[in-house]
Amino acid sequence: MTRSNVPAAPAPAPLGPDSLTWRYFGDWRGMLQGLWAGSMQNMHPGLGAGVEQHSRFFEERWERLLRSLYPIGGVVFDGERAHHTAEEVRDYHRTIKGVDARGRRYHALDPDTFYWAHATFFMGTILTAENFMGGLTEAQKRQLFTEHVQWYRLYGMSMRPVPATWEDFQVYWDHMCRDVLEDNKATRDVLDLTGLERPPFLPWLPEPVWRLARIPVAKGFVWLTVGMYDPPVRDLLGYRWSPLDAWLHRRTGQLVNAAFHLVPPRRRKHPRARGGLDRVGGRSPADAPLVHTPARNLPPVGRRDDPIHYAPPVS
């Protein structure tokens, strides 16, 4: 057997501090589109079926959300280790497959399904910047599109579903919103915050106080989410959106942006993103350990060995 003389393809380059993605992704304001991202992902038929049949997200909603931010953010901010982080994230999905209620086979690593999740990360970055960070120019959107392709290459997945240009992506996104997404149980479950548990980072908050606070919190997050939906998605889910809603939504975003200008720039970032900034800025060594989720966000003890879970050895 002869060995091929064709050189191996170079490893995909990770994004760095010169990218716009580093500026806008990993900001705590991104939490305000978290419900949007979760519902948009779950409306994809294959992704929604996987969540419905395999996920226990709704038993530990806060913990799952908060710990997931670490590896997802790491694919952007882990520097030379980002490729390894991306492969870990990809491999959490290997066993998530089956047949949905309509007899359609699905697999979380189907290229179209996996790319849809990534597309929501990209569009979530756009929406966060547009709604809560002062807005973007068209040139910045194009740059973020180019960077999201570079980011996606790190997963080692097929690039077949990835649109070639920003214009092609807009056509893709509109097609998904109009023709592919479905109103399903997984989506409705994500949007139902009536039983939302007290956040694990507020253990001092009395439970009776949280039960009262949960009502406006739940309604407010759903309202923010509806305002970020494309009109076809809003129509699909049966939501109405008035000119007054749109005006209030813009003003809310402006208020959030103004408030965050009072927060030191470093503190606006999620810990995994902050760790990346610290390494490139010399605040910590270049080979400093990656920042992982605190123990309070880990899966229940009996499920930490499940290969679908990110469960680092933290104390």
Side-chain angles (χ1 to χ4, degrees), residues 184-225:
N184 55 29
K185 182 179 185 300
T187 301
R188 293 298 178 174
D189 286 348
V190 163
L191 292 169
D192 181 5
L193 301 181
T194 55
L196 186 65
E197 296 293 329
R198 180 180 58 191
F201 51 83
L202 297 178
W204 48 265
L205 185 68
E207 188 63 35
V209 175
W210 169 247
R211 285 197 296 268
L212 289 174
R214 178 171 57 198
I215 298 171
V217 167
K219 290 183 177 179
F221 266 103
V222 172
W223 177 79
L224 273 179
T225 299

Side-chain angles (χ1 to χ4, degrees), residues 129-143:
E130 287 277 74
N131 287 280
F132 309 113
M133 300 179 75
L136 294 169
T137 65
E138 190 66 14
Q140 287 176 317
K141 292 177 185 178
R142 289 177 183 276
Q143 182 175 338

Side-chain angles (χ1 to χ4, degrees), residues 105-122:
R105 302 191 68 83
Y106 69 87
H107 195 299
L109 291 184
D110 171 79
D112 294 292
T113 303
F114 198 81
Y115 176 68
W116 172 248
H118 185 72
T120 66
F121 296 155
F122 164 56

